[in-house]
Amino acid sequence: MNIILLGPPGAGKGTQAKRLVDERNMVQLSTGDMLRAARTSGTEMGKKVAEVMDRGDLVTDEIVIGLIREQLESGQSGGGYIFDGFPRTLAQADALAALMDELGQTLDAAIELQVNDEVLVERIVGRAREAAAAGEPVRADDNEESLKIRLMAYYKQTSPLIGYYYAKGDLKTVDGLASMDEVAASIARVLA
Ligand code: AMP
C-alpha cells in the first residue's frame, strides 16, 4: 500500500506517519523532514530554501519533486510509502502520479485528516511551547506569523488536492480531531 496523508499543518500527518512506520514497516517520505535535513547539513539547496520555509511559504515544485524522485529511485519501499506533506500542489500531484507510473507502483489512497482551524492553531502553538519547555529545538516556522502564511498556502495551493483525489476515486477522509489512537484506527480501516 502506498498512501498520501493530506491535511493542513498541525493536522497530525507526521505523528500518524511515524506510527505507520513503527507498526507496518512503511517508509515515511516527508518533504518537510528532507528539507530540514538539507538545511542542517548546509547544502546549497538547504540554504536556498531556509528563508522560504521560515516564512511559511512553499518551496518550488522542482525542489520537492527532485527530493521525492531521489527517494523513490533508491527503491526502499518496505511495507509501502507514506507521502507526508507531499504533494502540496497540483503540479506535485501530477508529477507523483507520473513517477509512480514510471516505477510500476500504484497510489492506493489519499487520506485526508480533517480538522478545524482553531484547533490547528492551538496545536501548533502548543507544539512550540512544549518543545521549548522540554529544552528541545522549536521549529522556526512554528510561530503565529508563519502559521498564518502556512495555512494560507494550504488553502490556496494544497486544498485543491482534496477535489483532485476525490475525482480520481482515491480520497478517504478521517476525523483528525479524534484522539491519536482513534485516528490511527480510522487509518488502519482505510488500509485494511
Ligand atoms: P512540513 O514539515 O511538512 O510542515 O513542511 C515544512 C515546510 O517545508 C513547509 O512550510 C514548506 O516551506 C516546505 N515544504 C515541505 N513540503 C513541501 C512541499 N511538498 N512543497 C513545497 N514546500 C514544502
Side-chain angles (χ1 to χ4, degrees), residues 127-128 131-132 134-140:
R127 173 162 84 189
E136 290 164 7
V138 177
R139 279 178 52 164

Side-chain angles (χ1 to χ4, degrees), residues 7-10 13-14 30-36 39 49-61 63-65 67-68 84-89 92 124 127 139 141-142 146 149-150 153 157-158:
K13 301 184 297 291
S30 158
T31 41
D33 286 349
M34 293 174 208
L35 291 165
R36 280 185 288 276
R39 290 179 61 163
V49 299
E51 200 189 317
V52 178
M53 289 177 74
D54 289 349
R55 197 167 62 227
D57 281 323
L58 296 186
V59 310
T60 65
D61 289 335
I63 287 176
V64 289
I65 292 166
L67 288 169
I68 288 287
D84 162 15
F86 179 91
R88 262 176 155 97
T89 64
Q92 291 176 24
I124 294 191
R127 173 162 84 189
R139 279 178 52 164
D141 59 353
D142 272 357
S146 302
I149 297 175
R150 284 156 71 199
Q157 293 166 277
T158 308

Side-chain angles (χ1 to χ4, degrees), residues 5-63:
L5 294 180
L6 258 181
K13 301 184 297 291
T15 306
Q16 293 299 329
K18 291 201 169 61
R19 283 184 73 134
L20 292 166
V21 170
D22 292 342
E23 292 165 11
R24 294 174 183 256
N25 192 34
M26 293 178 80
V27 175
Q28 177 188 13
L29 296 182
S30 158
T31 41
D33 286 349
M34 293 174 208
L35 291 165
R36 280 185 288 276
R39 290 179 61 163
T40 310
S41 61
T43 63
E44 275 314 304
M45 187 265 281
K47 286 183 209 155
K48 204 166 118 189
V49 299
E51 200 189 317
V52 178
M53 289 177 74
D54 289 349
R55 197 167 62 227
D57 281 323
L58 296 186
V59 310
T60 65
D61 289 335
E62 193 189 354
I63 287 176

Side-chain angles (χ1 to χ4, degrees), residues 93-114:
D94 281 337
L96 178 61
L99 260 174
M100 294 296 272
D101 226 31
E102 227 174 83
L103 298 168
Q105 297 257 11
T106 51
L107 264 177
D108 300 289
I111 304 176
E112 180 200 359
L113 302 182
Q114 216 171 40

